Amino acid sequence: MRWTYKKSVTMGAVFLLLSILYFSLPLDLRSTWVEEWQVQTFSSDASWIDKGGYLPLNVSYQLLAGTPPTEQKYLTIGLCSVSRPKGSYLISTLSSIFSRSSPAELNSMLVVVLLTDFDAQWRATTLGEITANFPSQLKANQLLVVHAPKQYYPPITGLKRNFNDKADRVTFRSKQNVDYSFLVQFCTGRSLHYLQLEDDVSCSHHFLSAIRGHVQQMEVPWATLEFSALGYIGKLYHSEHLPLLSRFLFLFYQEMPCDFLFSHFRVLLTQSEVIRFTPSLFQHTGSYSSFLGTFNKLKDDDYEDLYTNPAADVYSDIPVYKEHVAAMAWSPGTGTFFWGRSPSSGNHLTVTFKHPVVVTSITVVTGSAEGRDRLASATVELGLHPVTEKTGSGTTCQEFYNVGDLQGGRMDMTDVHKKRFGHASSCLKIRVTAKQNDWVIIKKIRITTKEE
């Protein structure tokens, strides 16, 4: 057979990659790894990747709290936490995860917190706060707290300054990559899927069920599914990919920030396009970064807590544009909204509940993401005694009471039932109080209720 130049280049690239992986291992693991690799590659029908147990990281973990469950879960949620110069968000993040999940969802998940700070006093204080706030989750094997000692970390100072980052920034992001690498390795095999979060987020209600639904609907192979637009929040992986991901982060820890590396990893697994679902299920809540306590104002504009409005009939006398009917403002979800032509004073959008409800909070959002087509002048009203409109266009109420005005095209009012609206209401009306030439988008109407 003729040995071509192309074959030579291919074999050279393979040996170069193997050499990099080999010399990145500790001395005491090199011979073992090479031996296992040879046996699995040349003496078995299954590939060494399929068999697992490859590319081990030489790290031992300290289990600080919790007991690993004996059965495999559906989802493992991993997050790292380090001391912050301006306060911690870890407890509120864990509270959001647990409080916004049903008992069945909690039984299907495991939360792993890797405390990555080398300050023993901080770890002891944080561990005390976790055990005091989540004793039931620890007892139910739904929460684990672990730590990887400093001795297992590669050098994190004196590294090359890619992207012209300052030396302290390079140290911070390089250590963060190793933190994630160790976290991902610890979580390997504990569930079918792995979800990466940060320690300063809030979660949408029943996020696990939403994730499960999207996974079941996937018709093409995938490496990463994204449930947030920000950083390394809400990224979902197959558990069998975690050893590769862990080693990838470790090998290239000093090259670039973690969110860049994660994007490259997805492409290497042949998923060229981002697969992101909206509305986002997770929102960044931290105001100050863990890096030098710098102010961080990042928010996910596509985040929306999953909710269900009461059953109702919805109609409007504002001329509608195409298929953007009034009921779409009442239906949860990004991309559903009411869009009407220039409204006049007295025009309205009316919601008539199937059954009277005691309204506790009201949120109304108008206008596009760019700030156009806001409802400039309008009031929100609650009504009693439903009746049929004389025109036959829908149902309304005999009496209405003013709740408040839209400010800047929106309303966010809580404790509505404590402000002389404690009785059950049958209608909600958004009434235009001044003519406007611009069209109007009513993007969202959301209410919360309580039993009378």
Side-chain angles (χ1 to χ4, degrees), residues 74-89:
Y74 178 80
L75 182 69
T76 297
I77 301 170
L79 53 95
C80 296
S81 191
V82 67
S83 62
R84 294 172 178 262
K86 297 186 178 181
S88 173
Y89 306 98

mmCIF file of all heavy atoms in Angstrom, residues 74-89:
data_model
loop_
_atom_site.group_PDB
_atom_site.id
_atom_site.type_symbol
_atom_site.label_atom_id
_atom_site.label_comp_id
_atom_site.label_asym_id
_atom_site.label_seq_id
_atom_site.Cartn_x
_atom_site.Cartn_y
_atom_site.Cartn_z
ATOM 1 N N TYR A 74 -32.282 11.738 37.741
ATOM 2 C CA TYR A 74 -32.498 12.272 36.393
ATOM 3 C C TYR A 74 -31.570 13.449 36.129
ATOM 4 O O TYR A 74 -31.010 13.583 35.038
ATOM 5 C CB TYR A 74 -33.949 12.722 36.206
ATOM 6 C CG TYR A 74 -34.201 13.326 34.838
ATOM 7 C CD1 TYR A 74 -34.390 12.506 33.731
ATOM 8 C CD2 TYR A 74 -34.219 14.705 34.654
ATOM 9 C CE1 TYR A 74 -34.592 13.045 32.467
ATOM 10 C CE2 TYR A 74 -34.417 15.260 33.400
ATOM 11 C CZ TYR A 74 -34.607 14.424 32.306
ATOM 12 O OH TYR A 74 -34.800 14.961 31.058
ATOM 13 N N LEU A 75 -31.373 14.315 37.152
ATOM 14 C CA LEU A 75 -30.613 15.546 36.950
ATOM 15 C C LEU A 75 -29.715 15.818 38.143
ATOM 16 O O LEU A 75 -30.151 15.749 39.297
ATOM 17 C CB LEU A 75 -31.573 16.727 36.761
ATOM 18 C CG LEU A 75 -30.940 18.093 36.498
ATOM 19 C CD1 LEU A 75 -30.277 18.111 35.115
ATOM 20 C CD2 LEU A 75 -31.979 19.209 36.594
ATOM 21 N N THR A 76 -28.452 16.119 37.859
ATOM 22 C CA THR A 76 -27.549 16.667 38.863
ATOM 23 C C THR A 76 -27.330 18.138 38.548
ATOM 24 O O THR A 76 -27.053 18.500 37.405
ATOM 25 C CB THR A 76 -26.192 15.939 38.872
ATOM 26 O OG1 THR A 76 -26.384 14.581 39.231
ATOM 27 C CG2 THR A 76 -25.242 16.584 39.878
ATOM 28 N N ILE A 77 -27.471 18.974 39.555
ATOM 29 C CA ILE A 77 -27.235 20.416 39.414
ATOM 30 C C ILE A 77 -25.934 20.743 40.131
ATOM 31 O O ILE A 77 -25.798 20.482 41.326
ATOM 32 C CB ILE A 77 -28.386 21.231 40.018
ATOM 33 C CG1 ILE A 77 -29.705 20.872 39.338
ATOM 34 C CG2 ILE A 77 -28.113 22.732 39.903
ATOM 35 C CD1 ILE A 77 -30.924 21.454 40.018
ATOM 36 N N GLY A 78 -24.973 21.278 39.409
ATOM 37 C CA GLY A 78 -23.683 21.596 39.992
ATOM 38 C C GLY A 78 -23.439 23.090 40.046
ATOM 39 O O GLY A 78 -23.777 23.819 39.109
ATOM 40 N N LEU A 79 -22.885 23.552 41.158
ATOM 41 C CA LEU A 79 -22.481 24.961 41.260
ATOM 42 C C LEU A 79 -21.286 25.084 42.191
ATOM 43 O O LEU A 79 -21.152 24.354 43.161
ATOM 44 C CB LEU A 79 -23.644 25.844 41.727
ATOM 45 C CG LEU A 79 -24.404 25.469 42.999
ATOM 46 C CD1 LEU A 79 -23.842 26.218 44.195
ATOM 47 C CD2 LEU A 79 -25.879 25.785 42.835
ATOM 48 N N CYS A 80 -20.408 26.014 41.839
ATOM 49 C CA CYS A 80 -19.242 26.337 42.655
ATOM 50 C C CYS A 80 -19.528 27.608 43.437
ATOM 51 O O CYS A 80 -20.253 28.491 42.964
ATOM 52 C CB CYS A 80 -18.009 26.559 41.778
ATOM 53 S SG CYS A 80 -17.471 25.117 40.857
ATOM 54 N N SER A 81 -18.936 27.708 44.607
ATOM 55 C CA SER A 81 -19.121 28.916 45.408
ATOM 56 C C SER A 81 -17.798 29.295 46.052
ATOM 57 O O SER A 81 -17.063 28.443 46.564
ATOM 58 C CB SER A 81 -20.194 28.712 46.478
ATOM 59 O OG SER A 81 -20.538 29.940 47.085
ATOM 60 N N VAL A 82 -17.514 30.584 46.009
ATOM 61 C CA VAL A 82 -16.291 31.140 46.566
ATOM 62 C C VAL A 82 -16.666 32.384 47.354
ATOM 63 O O VAL A 82 -17.736 32.974 47.138
ATOM 64 C CB VAL A 82 -15.295 31.468 45.426
ATOM 65 C CG1 VAL A 82 -15.819 32.602 44.558
ATOM 66 C CG2 VAL A 82 -13.909 31.786 45.960
ATOM 67 N N SER A 83 -15.819 32.801 48.270
ATOM 68 C CA SER A 83 -16.123 33.997 49.061
ATOM 69 C C SER A 83 -16.200 35.225 48.163
ATOM 70 O O SER A 83 -15.457 35.358 47.191
ATOM 71 C CB SER A 83 -15.066 34.210 50.143
ATOM 72 O OG SER A 83 -13.795 34.411 49.560
ATOM 73 N N ARG A 84 -17.122 36.114 48.487
ATOM 74 C CA ARG A 84 -17.320 37.347 47.722
ATOM 75 C C ARG A 84 -17.027 38.545 48.619
ATOM 76 O O ARG A 84 -17.440 38.568 49.783
ATOM 77 C CB ARG A 84 -18.758 37.447 47.196
ATOM 78 C CG ARG A 84 -19.128 36.389 46.163
ATOM 79 C CD ARG A 84 -20.610 36.449 45.850
ATOM 80 N NE ARG A 84 -21.002 35.481 44.834
ATOM 81 C CZ ARG A 84 -21.152 35.764 43.544
ATOM 82 N NH1 ARG A 84 -20.936 37.002 43.117
ATOM 83 N NH2 ARG A 84 -21.510 34.836 42.686
ATOM 84 N N PRO A 85 -16.361 39.570 48.074
ATOM 85 C CA PRO A 85 -16.060 40.758 48.883
ATOM 86 C C PRO A 85 -17.300 41.489 49.375
ATOM 87 O O PRO A 85 -17.256 42.171 50.392
ATOM 88 C CB PRO A 85 -15.241 41.636 47.922
ATOM 89 C CG PRO A 85 -14.700 40.696 46.890
ATOM 90 C CD PRO A 85 -15.750 39.635 46.738
ATOM 91 N N LYS A 86 -18.440 41.335 48.656
ATOM 92 C CA LYS A 86 -19.628 42.110 49.003
ATOM 93 C C LYS A 86 -20.856 41.219 49.193
ATOM 94 O O LYS A 86 -21.924 41.473 48.648
ATOM 95 C CB LYS A 86 -19.900 43.167 47.936
ATOM 96 C CG LYS A 86 -18.789 44.201 47.823
ATOM 97 C CD LYS A 86 -19.146 45.326 46.872
ATOM 98 C CE LYS A 86 -18.038 46.371 46.819
ATOM 99 N NZ LYS A 86 -18.371 47.490 45.906
ATOM 100 N N GLY A 87 -20.699 40.172 49.983
ATOM 101 C CA GLY A 87 -21.856 39.360 50.336
ATOM 102 C C GLY A 87 -22.016 38.125 49.482
ATOM 103 O O GLY A 87 -21.487 38.030 48.372
ATOM 104 N N SER A 88 -22.776 37.155 50.008
ATOM 105 C CA SER A 88 -22.983 35.870 49.339
ATOM 106 C C SER A 88 -24.432 35.719 48.904
ATOM 107 O O SER A 88 -25.346 36.215 49.558
ATOM 108 C CB SER A 88 -22.610 34.728 50.288
ATOM 109 O OG SER A 88 -22.957 33.483 49.732
ATOM 110 N N TYR A 89 -24.622 35.014 47.777
ATOM 111 C CA TYR A 89 -25.961 34.728 47.264
ATOM 112 C C TYR A 89 -26.262 33.239 47.304
ATOM 113 O O TYR A 89 -27.300 32.795 46.814
ATOM 114 C CB TYR A 89 -26.090 35.224 45.816
ATOM 115 C CG TYR A 89 -25.734 36.679 45.623
ATOM 116 C CD1 TYR A 89 -24.466 37.041 45.168
ATOM 117 C CD2 TYR A 89 -26.641 37.693 45.904
ATOM 118 C CE1 TYR A 89 -24.120 38.371 44.986
ATOM 119 C CE2 TYR A 89 -26.304 39.028 45.723
ATOM 120 C CZ TYR A 89 -25.044 39.360 45.267
ATOM 121 O OH TYR A 89 -24.709 40.686 45.087
#
